[in-house]
Amino acid sequence: MIAVRGATKHYGAVHAVDGVDLEVAPGELFGLIGHNGAGKSTLFKMMLGLIPATAGDIRIDGLPVTGNGFRAVRRKIGYLPENVVLYDNLTGVETLEFFARLKGVTAAECAPALERVGLSHAARRRVREYSKGMRQRLGFAQALLGRPRILFLDEPTTGLDPEAIREFYVILRGLKADGVTVILTSHILAEIQERVDRLAIMASGRIQAVGTVQALREQMDLPLWFRVHLAHEDFEHVRNVLGGLPVIAVEAREDHVAVKCRRESKMLVMQALASLGDTVLDLHVHEPSLEDVFFGFAD
Amino acid sequence: MELRQIATLAGKEFWDRIRNRWVLAVALVFTVFALVIAYFGGAQQGTVGFRSIEFTIASLVSLVIYLVPLIALVLGFDAIVGERERGSLDLLLSMPITRFELLLGKYLGLAAALAFSTVAGFGLVAIVLSAQLNLAALMHYFGFMLSSVLLGLAFLSLAVMVSVFAADRTRASGFAIALWFLFVLVFDLLLLGALVVTGGKYGGEIFPYLLLLNPADVFRILNIFSLDDVRTLYGLATVFPRALAEPWLLGLVMTAWIAAPLGVAAWRFRK
């Protein structure tokens, strides 16, 4: 359980993080998104206890992240920094053994961690021979050492190919099933959108919105688009059928008719379109993407 | 203090230097230079071959005073800033260790590598020369080795301080080289200049104490006063009063030169 209350970090006149409140529940898969400079990295490091807060209170399982109890907190967490460069001269297994000793974890955990991220075959090779994706996997394996209850992953899928990204989220779901809390950042919004339980959008040092993807869409009240493919060019007929309904726009496009409406009118419009019967060959509902939500909030 | 974690950090730094042959290379440099100096140091006077331990140490002191600070500064300047630049500093700091433990572990590991190569390099020479040395001479030589190690540790401490303050590696290397110029080349010149300009009227009494502000001079003084025959070879440092030249006192000053920059580094790193 992570509890952030009024977390603030000022560098002189710059308000990098400005009064952030946030709670992440045990076993939750939580995404943090925002532009560069939005303050998400600073907030991330504050939650890890790497940057002391100017004001506010940050606790993990009830313990403050800085101060005397910090070692107990650190043993609960795993961290993968953004773009981390590990030590070229060490092999994969030596790298993990080094971090295992720093965490006070037995070296017996290293081989299973490598296995979990699919690096067993390269365990005895030097990191300098690793590809970018392999380095990222090794960094992830490092974060898994000590069976952390909370994982902080900063841009964890950078450098991974689509197949590796899929495998990565399979591992995350496995961890989630074991009750591990995961906080991750990503700039690939489409990727995060389908996979996190909740997410927070950050801009100008503040959390602009937090919730499930669905809740954020509703909160933004972004219009939906229907893409209607007709059996024959009968645009006026469609317009007439939709006539009395609260639609925003009906436009004839090259090979379809586009109908724009508010979320609350969605079912009404669908029913009206269904009444057209065989005239409608196909129907797509275009929901606003997280990008739309993101830019709606962040701008 | 978590000694295990400090040992882990120190061990990594030490074994990194063993594995990349840094220790071997530095030890070889010391051995070769020391042997060349021992056998050919008197060539200008028309003699070749081992002369006396006093002359050999006097020549080695001149070598060490240039070489050891440079090696120590190069060894330590990127200890922290290097990790920061590659992005691994945050990862290390997210471990269950304090910043002081991280700094101390790094310093101790680098210090062990430096001390090991110094002792190995000059120790090999002692073994080669041992047939020609009596016990007293060996003790002198041992004192010289110990003071060389202390000199290295003092400059390593300065280097680690630089690596905490500097924003990036380039600047850190610049600061490190600047420190070398300051302590090894400029400091004595400035003191001497000030002494000449004032005609020796002012500062004559505090002058010896000013020498203590430079670890390189402390090293030089430490080695002269054990070698009566060759005091004239040492220049500036010979104005040092005998009463202050107690080895234990100078050793204490040197220890302060090791502890102080490291303390400043720890203070700054905590912020």
Side-chain angles (χ1 to χ4, degrees):
Chain A
M1 161 84 168
I2 305 167
V4 180
R5 302 252 176 286
T8 300
K9 183 69 190 179
H10 293 175
Y11 294 102
V14 180
H15 296 189
V17 172
D18 207 6
V20 165
D21 294 311
L22 197 63
E23 262 190 25
V24 182
E28 194 169 15
L29 188 48
F30 191 89
L32 188 60
I33 61 174
H35 294 301
N36 285 335
K40 62 185 197 305
S41 285
T42 307
L43 178 61
F44 226 61
K45 288 179 189 175
M46 287 167 82
M47 289 194 282
L48 285 160
L50 300 183
I51 299 179
T54 310
D57 182 55
I58 301 175
R59 285 168 189 269
I60 286 179
D61 289 349
L63 296 167
V65 293
T66 54
N68 289 336
F70 87 101
R71 282 187 220 268
V73 174
R74 297 286 174 84
R75 291 201 178 92
K76 291 173 187 281
I77 65 176
Y79 174 42
L80 174 63
E82 184 182 3
N83 296 325
V84 66
V85 181
L86 295 167
Y87 306 106
D88 270 356
N89 59 327
L90 299 184
T91 65
V93 71
E94 284 167 350
T95 304
L96 289 198
E97 280 167 1
F98 171 64
F99 286 108
R101 280 197 297 272
L102 284 183
K103 286 186 176 182
V105 168
T106 156
E109 275 196 33
C110 297
L114 282 170
E115 171 89 49
R116 195 154 196 183
V117 301
L119 272 184
S120 295
H121 65 285
R124 309 251 161 232
R125 273 161 57 193
R126 300 228 170 171
V127 173
R128 92 164 48 92
E129 297 166 26
Y130 278 25
S131 69
K132 191 156 188 280
M134 289 166 81
R135 285 162 194 247
Q136 197 67 11
R137 286 161 188 251
L138 184 62
F140 185 42
Q142 168 279 131
L144 295 176
L145 292 172
R147 300 166 202 284
R149 301 311 299 159
I150 299 166
L151 278 176
F152 289 88
L153 311 173
D154 205 354
E155 302 276 354
T157 54
T158 310
L160 297 185
D161 56 50
E163 175 61 14
I165 290 177
R166 204 190 56 77
E167 286 168 14
F168 169 76
Y169 280 101
V170 169
I171 297 173
L172 283 196
R173 274 194 289 277
L175 291 164
K176 180 179 152 61
D178 294 339
V180 176
T181 310
V182 182
I183 297 197
L184 59 89
T185 65
S186 176
H187 63 279
I188 307 167
L189 302 173
E191 175 195 314
I192 222 180
Q193 175 166 10
E194 298 153 24
R195 284 151 165 158
V196 295
D197 299 327
R198 282 194 310 149
L199 59 95
I201 295 162
M202 224 181 150
S204 311
R206 293 165 184 271
I207 300 282
Q208 304 292 337
V210 57
T212 62
V213 174
Q214 192 60 31
L216 288 179
R217 277 183 192 141
E218 282 163 16
Q219 195 178 332
M220 277 305 286
D221 194 23
L222 288 176
L224 324 155
W225 284 95
F226 287 92
R227 192 184 161 104
V228 189
H229 292 264
L230 299 172
H232 39 80
E233 307 262 328
D234 204 355
F235 175 58
E236 283 309 318
H237 183 46
V238 175
R239 191 193 276 282
N240 289 338
V241 166
L242 295 172
L245 296 174
V247 293
I248 298 166
V250 182
E251 293 166 13
R253 298 276 169 86
E254 213 165 286
D255 61 339
H256 68 276
V257 176
V259 180
K260 190 179 180 183
C261 72
R262 290 196 125 44
R263 177 168 299 278
E264 64 213 27
S265 327
K266 180 179 169 185
M267 291 318 291
L268 286 173
V269 173
M270 267 184 117
Q271 281 159 14
L273 290 171
S275 74
L276 289 168
D278 292 343
T279 316
V280 176
L281 286 179
D282 203 356
L283 183 68
H284 296 280
V285 184
H286 181 69
E287 296 265 353
S289 70
L290 189 54
E291 266 92 348
D292 303 327
V293 176
F294 176 52
F295 289 117
F297 276 111
D299 289 342
Chain B
M1 291 274 260
E2 297 276 322
L3 295 179
R4 261 191 48 155
Q5 270 92 336
I6 294 173
T8 298
L9 289 159
K12 176 175 182 301
E13 294 300 328
F14 181 75
W15 286 109
D16 278 354
R17 298 316 181 290
I18 294 279
R19 279 153 58 125
N20 68 13
R21 299 193 178 79
W22 185 94
V23 167
L24 182 68
V26 170
L28 274 179
V29 165
F30 286 149
T31 305
V32 169
F33 270 107
L35 281 178
V36 167
I37 282 172
Y39 282 99
F40 301 119
Q44 279 177 322
Q45 286 83 47
T47 54
V48 168
F50 181 71
R51 291 175 300 166
S52 75
I53 191 67
E54 281 82 8
F55 275 98
T56 303
I57 290 181
S59 310
L60 283 175
V61 164
S62 309
L63 167 79
V64 162
I65 226 161
Y66 286 97
L67 210 53
V68 166
L70 190 65
I71 288 171
L73 287 165
V74 169
L75 177 65
F77 82 91
D78 77 340
I80 298 298
V81 77
E83 299 275 1
R84 183 175 287 146
E85 220 159 87
R86 63 143 61 88
S88 47
L89 185 61
D90 280 337
L91 183 53
L92 289 174
L93 291 175
S94 78
M95 300 287 138
I97 54 171
T98 63
R99 288 177 173 238
F100 180 68
E101 286 160 2
L102 174 61
L103 196 70
L104 192 63
K106 287 226 155 218
Y107 179 81
L108 290 177
L110 295 173
L114 184 61
F116 185 73
S117 46
T118 308
V119 169
F122 288 126
L124 196 63
V125 176
I127 292 168
V128 172
L129 296 179
S130 60
Q132 298 161 68
L133 299 178
N134 58 25
L135 188 66
L138 270 177
M139 290 304 282
H140 276 330
Y141 192 81
F142 180 76
F144 155 75
M145 282 201 331
L146 185 67
S147 61
S148 301
V149 169
L150 289 178
L151 177 69
L153 297 188
F155 274 90
L156 183 64
S157 179
L158 285 166
V160 168
M161 185 180 80
V162 162
S163 92
V164 168
F165 276 86
D168 54 58
R169 284 186 84 237
T170 316
R171 266 175 253 205
S173 64
F175 287 139
I177 299 298
L179 279 181
W180 185 81
F181 269 95
L182 174 68
F183 283 124
V184 175
L185 299 181
V186 181
F187 189 88
D188 286 5
L189 213 57
L190 281 180
L191 275 194
L192 200 61
L195 209 60
V196 170
V197 166
T198 59
K201 285 201 190 83
Y202 309 102
E205 307 80 41
I206 63 154
F207 185 78
Y209 296 96
L210 291 178
L211 284 177
L212 298 180
L213 294 180
N214 182 350
D217 279 328
V218 178
F219 168 77
R220 210 191 308 254
I221 298 162
L222 255 173
N223 280 286
I224 311 167
F225 282 86
S226 55
L227 305 165
D228 293 317
D229 303 351
V230 289
R231 290 188 61 187
T232 50
L233 289 179
Y234 284 94
L236 238 194
T238 50
V239 300
F240 204 75
R242 268 209 107 93
L244 275 179
E246 291 289 339
W248 65 267
L249 190 69
L250 293 169
L252 213 63
V253 172
M254 210 59 147
T255 311
W257 265 110
I258 295 169
L262 209 56
V264 173
W267 165 79
R268 168 78 190 195
F269 194 40
R270 210 165 290 172
K271 299 200 150 193

